[in-house]
Amino acid sequence: MKHLLSTENLVASDAIRILDTAEEMSAVGDREVKKLPALRGRTVVNLFFEDSTRTRISFEAAAKRLSADVINFAAKGSSVSKGESLKDTAQTLAAMGADAVVIRHWASGAPHRLAATDWIDAAVINAGDGTHEHPTQALLDAFTMRRHWSKLSGVASTGADLKGMRVAIAGDVLHSRVARSNVWLLKTLGAEVTLVAPPTLLPIGVEHWPCKVSYNLDETLEAGIDAMMMLRVQGERMNASFFPSTREYSRRWGFDDARLKALDDLGMKDTIIMHPGPMNRGLEISSAAADSPRSTVLAQVRNGVSVRMAALYLLLSGDTREAAPLNTVTPAFASPSSKESN
Amino acid sequence: MAENTYLIRGAAILGGEAQDLLIHDGVIAARGTDLSEEGATVIDGKGLVALPGMVDVHTHLREPGREDAETVETGTRAAALGGFTAVHAMANSNPVADTAGVVEQVHSLGRASGWVDVRPVGAVTVGLAGEQLAELGAMADSRAQVRMFSDDGMCVHDPVLMRRALEYVKAFDGVVAQHAQEPRLTAGAQMNEGTVSAVLGLTGWPAVAEESIIARDVLLTQHVGSRLHVCHVSTAGSVEIVRWAKARGINVTAEVTPHHLLLTDELVRSYDPVYKVNPPLRTDADVQALREGLADGTIDVIGTDHAPHPSEHKECEWAQAAMGMTGLETALSVVQETMIETGLMTWADFARVTSFTPAAIGRVADQGRPLEVGEPANVILVDPAARWTVDPHKMATMGRNSPFKGRELPGSVVATFFKGHPTVLDGRLNTPYKHPAVSSN
């Protein structure tokens, strides 16, 4: 196990291993002393080329609970903004002895570049790259769904998957790394995914994804869902004609009060409402929906720390990364050799 | 006498019958069997194919302005090693080749280097800005005698400006070489738009952005009765449109790059910017359509779009990386692999698409001529049985951005004769041709 770059190549056994480890980590968060010595002496760098306070502090909390030393490197206002290249930044971090780099970057594929080049030998965790992937977000979403789904089925979370769970993901799929990571991971875990979006906000080629695609949120609700995930929509998109106005978007694709009520009317008492945050209340989700008992928004945040602890632990624990004790077979974490050989 | 007399013994002429070629004083002095070797340096042509020197319609030599990427000297060394005896140097230098002064400078640098004929391409619009016609006539009348005009890298997207350019070049038998890319449909584009871009989250460069411009331009060409060349056709739809235009008698020619004949957008999954190029690598269906189009004559020529970049422009994030690939030293091998070894073309066809027709499109005198007695001795010898592994660090180009790095390819250039002088012998650079001190052109 070397890197966590995407969920596209994560096999079910590895995904479940991360989720199970996250369950163990979650128990640490319930203790009075929320700390494990597992990564004492290891250095984790949060390398953020894009502002994301939420993700950064989640990783920071995760690394600190594992007793790692944490360096936060915000590329804005640093040497990077003076023109330093990703290569030079990576080599600088390598020279400082970073054991893991948690990278958030506006450019799709930047974490793959760190992992595939010889610029740095550290473990690379993708904390969101452009419009490509955000694997730890998908893992924390899956973790949240699995707890809910297992509880409904009356089984333990640990070891379980999401077989049979119906998940709708609505919003700006085209620009969403969260949607991509979720589609691959949820499919791997056995869930049935439906993407709901205006046609302008779906990528050309989406028909080849392992999910259903709908332009109609109401029909998707009527067909029955167990989890409704709303994606953040940027109002500026209307300036590029992705949709005519925020009001029209909200009426057709927002999870508003009427649709919240429809869940009750349709008898879906156990359907949860999810959002990766930050929310645009009144645009893609109404306040009533965001604050309803169905909402898992805060649970997702809480679970994010556990999942990121699990990822860091599995990547960094043990004498060498290759011989981590809780992790014997996780080749799918690294990008396949075919991706690195060219 | 021996210094400029060479006897090529028994090479397969255009891949056909093995014959001797006697080169003397810059021309093919004799062709036949058992020619006398008296006074000649003899080159054993057994197992080799003799072809007319290749003519590239699309080369970026980067000089003036980006001498850190390539110079006329290094780029033309690469060309000679790749089997070329003429290259068209694209206009997107700095300053842009949009005046007689700049094209004459590039022309002079080419003559001083002496490895190949350097034919400057003039910009269509001032500064490639797409707003105002450059002084096309002045460039045509200059010592560089420009006949091909292109804003390559940028599309002449304004339909009125494109119409005027097509009309204007008729005055001096010019051709407008269009980089077909609708700019609004490709804002921020990073790779081919399709199933791979959807997964990778990279902004798509849709085929329609190329095809819609080509469709418009062939109709404009017909309307004003001019001559259009379409640079680096990359999609199956573009091939269809060019085929349709030719069937209507429109005077259009088209080129395809070697990399578009072999590579697909699946390679972008690595996020390695060596695969970033404009137009982007497309799908396998496009690759097949391009090969068929080249084989049936819909696509007229190979153009390398040789685009060297300094390593720092590729050792970065995909979105930050420069677009372009080197190609001069791999073109012959890639075309052999994709077109000849697949049975789609013969070596005679190869001569047509890499020499005869490109020279005709660029109106290049003394290039792309048949290997007949009295013709200028621009001749290459190719070993079709050779196999070699591409190592960009061993290339003459300054660019290390070869997408074929590490790949084994067939065919190698054993010798290149430029104006009867061997610029390449035994697969290695020999010496450049010395132009006469008093310029005759």
Side-chain angles (χ1 to χ4, degrees), chain A residues 249-298:
Chain A
Y249 180 88
S250 192
R251 280 194 300 271
R252 295 182 73 97
W253 290 284
F255 201 88
D256 56 14
D257 292 355
R259 292 184 174 112
L260 179 64
K261 183 171 177 297
L263 288 185
D264 294 332
D265 296 345
L266 292 162
M268 287 184 265
K269 65 182 175 58
D270 295 318
T271 296
I272 54 174
I273 299 169
M274 310 180 71
H275 195 297
M279 293 183 282
N280 289 308
R281 288 175 185 253
L283 179 45
E284 75 267 5
I285 189 166
S286 70
S287 273
D291 299 333
S292 81
R294 295 175 182 272
S295 169
T296 62
V297 171
L298 292 176

Side-chain angles (χ1 to χ4, degrees), chain A residues 72-91:
Chain A
N72 288 313
F73 188 146
K76 275 189 183 168
S78 72
S79 50
V80 174
S81 61
K82 294 171 189 150
E84 185 174 86
S85 70
L86 179 63
K87 177 181 173 178
D88 287 330
T89 303
Q91 289 181 332

Side-chain angles (χ1 to χ4, degrees), chain A residues 8 49 85-87 105-110 112-113 119 129 131-132 180 184 203-206 208-209 339 342, chain B residues 193-195 197-203 267 269-275 314-320 405 407:
Chain A
E8 192 193 357
F49 289 83
S85 70
L86 179 63
K87 177 181 173 178
H105 203 297
W106 54 266
S108 299
H112 286 71
R113 294 289 286 154
W119 304 338
D129 62 327
T131 54
H132 176 226
R180 284 174 178 77
W184 314 132
I204 296 287
V206 73
H208 297 287
W209 290 9
K339 290 193 172 184
N342 288 303
Chain B
E193 184 167 27
T195 56
S197 66
V199 171
L200 297 185
L202 290 171
T203 306
L267 291 163
R269 290 183 191 273
S270 67
Y271 286 107
D272 185 341
V274 78
Y275 301 115
K314 290 289 189 180
E315 289 189 329
C316 56
E317 302 88 330
W318 179 278
Q320 299 278 64
K405 175 186 171 185
R407 202 179 271 263

